[in-house]
Amino acid sequence: MKFTHRFAYYLVGLVIGCFFVGLVFSGKDTRCNYFPNARVLNDLRNKPFHYSDEASKVLAEKWIDTSDIKNTLQFGDIDFDKSNTEYKKGKLYVIEGKTLKNQKVLLKVINYPGKAVLESIEKKQAD
């Protein structure tokens, strides 16, 4: 068999394979969250998110807003030494992040089976 024929068969198989891979993964919200930090943050973002009274008071102070909270839930780092403990019939997670003005913050979020509640917001002192 000539090289051009083999190459043509290869291309036909490649196109068919790419078509099936595209068909399988299209329309799905596929994520590859292999690390614990990414899995927990993804779980917290996908649940209905509520604010406690204490967190609402801090948000009213205007040094932090909900976009900073969402940004921290997207790119923050979870302190697992202080997290994953039973707290008020849920699990407490301590998340370190930054506001858009580069102010370091510490969020305490309670992860319940059906919702996530932002328990408190604290300014973190510069190291």
Side-chain angles (χ1 to χ4, degrees):
M1 187 180 293
K2 293 182 182 179
F3 176 74
T4 55
H5 289 112
R6 286 187 302 204
F7 189 66
Y9 280 124
Y10 169 77
L11 286 180
V12 169
L14 182 68
V15 169
I16 291 172
C18 288
F19 173 74
F20 281 116
V21 168
L23 186 68
V24 167
F25 288 114
S26 68
K28 292 185 180 182
D29 191 17
T30 307
R31 291 187 180 95
C32 299
N33 294 327
Y34 295 114
F35 297 109
N37 193 62
R39 283 192 304 228
V40 171
L41 290 176
N42 186 40
D43 183 44
L44 293 174
R45 283 192 311 268
N46 289 332
K47 289 184 178 180
F49 201 77
H50 302 280
Y51 299 95
S52 69
D53 293 335
E54 181 183 344
S56 297
K57 288 177 186 175
V58 174
L59 283 171
E61 294 175 7
K62 302 293 184 196
W63 63 270
I64 189 170
D65 60 2
T66 56
S67 64
D68 295 325
I69 303 296
K70 290 178 183 177
N71 195 26
T72 300
L73 288 176
Q74 180 75 34
F75 303 108
D77 292 319
I78 298 175
D79 186 355
F80 282 103
D81 290 336
K82 299 175 186 173
S83 298
N84 206 10
T85 58
E86 293 295 324
Y87 184 77
K88 295 185 180 180
K89 298 182 182 177
K91 289 189 176 184
L92 177 70
Y93 289 101
V94 178
I95 305 168
E96 299 174 358
K98 290 184 179 181
T99 64
L100 296 175
K101 298 175 184 173
N102 248 0
Q103 170 67 44
K104 291 185 178 181
V105 293
L106 198 67
L107 304 180
K108 293 184 180 178
V109 180
I110 304 172
N111 190 8
Y112 294 107
K115 66 179 180 178
V117 177
L118 178 61
E119 185 70 16
S120 68
I121 305 168
E122 302 172 10
K123 281 186 184 179
K124 189 174 178 189
Q125 301 300 323
D127 295 330

